[in-house]
Amino acid sequence: MTRRPRLVVPALAAAVLALAGCGAPVDEQPAASATPSGTSSDPLAGCTPDALKTLTAGTLTVGTDKPAYGPWFVDDDPSNGQGYESAVAYAIADKLGYAKDRVQWAVVPFNTAIAPGPKTFDLDLNQVSISDDRKKAVDFSSGYYDVRQTVITYKGSPIDGKTSVADLKGARLGAQVGTTSYTAATQQIAPTEQVAVFDTNDLAVQALKNQQIDGIVVDLPTGFYMTAAQLDDGVIVGQLPAQGSPEQFGAVLDKGSPLTPCVTAAVDALRADGTLEKLVGEWLSTQGAPELT
């Protein structure tokens, strides 16, 4: 879930239509230390730049990692509004009354974003999955994207063409440290060989290129990007079966942040008015990723 400066390739951009039909994400609104001011039934009442206690008055500071990967960001530039998470960030800002020139971006490594302690951002969008364990250290907005974990490889690898999770038991798999992809690899696939841990997805890709591992477990959109832009002969083996409630990405905020209710209200409004579904259709895709049995 850390990214390299790359443009989303045309093949990926052309494949963005199918995910739009999957519906917008749903998540329970997290508990927070404050509620939006005002007595209106509109949950966004009182959620204005004048009322919100941001790090810098009148400015919304959004964090993400660097490099910033596609399809979440384009050309390693979160400020250009391109890519799913960049577009979502500006849509949230708009719902809260911040013009684009009042949005400031901060470089925040993935592990720093979810660690306890004061934050250098008001909210962080960095493909961070909502989990009860992480909620002990940070707040989350409601989910802005449903996640499926995926296994990718290279043509002709030992797992190319495999169709079931059981077929992957003997594979040498890798995943980024501290991610739900790593959890899925170790718990859902549970291969006989220890899952290799990498500080970044770039390092995992390099290991796959060198055939030091057979495959990488990543979220589906990142899997599409890796196979289209980072691997000359990359292929998607398949999506891992969904288990229980869907995994979701949520905006990260400081624990007990007074902004949490308003950011959640903004995400919920974007879901309700169809914006999230539209952005999913514009930037993400599930085409070409079969289901593993």
Side-chain angles (χ1 to χ4, degrees), residues 10 29 49 61 63 65 80 82 90 155 160 193 206 228 238 259 261:
Q29 179 170 324
T61 301
D65 211 338
N80 63 19
Q82 299 180 54
Y90 283 111
K155 290 180 181 178
D160 184 14
E193 291 200 33
Q206 190 59 51
L259 304 179

Side-chain angles (χ1 to χ4, degrees), residues 18-26 84 144-146 248 271 276-277 280:
L19 196 60
C22 73
V26 178
Y84 184 72
Y144 61 82
Y145 176 65
D146 282 346
Q248 295 182 310
R271 180 187 310 121
L276 292 181
E277 185 175 8
V280 163

Side-chain angles (χ1 to χ4, degrees), residues 185-205:
T186 57
Q187 297 183 8
Q188 194 171 354
I189 301 174
T192 54
E193 291 200 33
Q194 184 174 351
V195 176
V197 182
F198 298 93
D199 288 336
T200 68
N201 275 332
D202 269 0
L203 293 175
V205 168

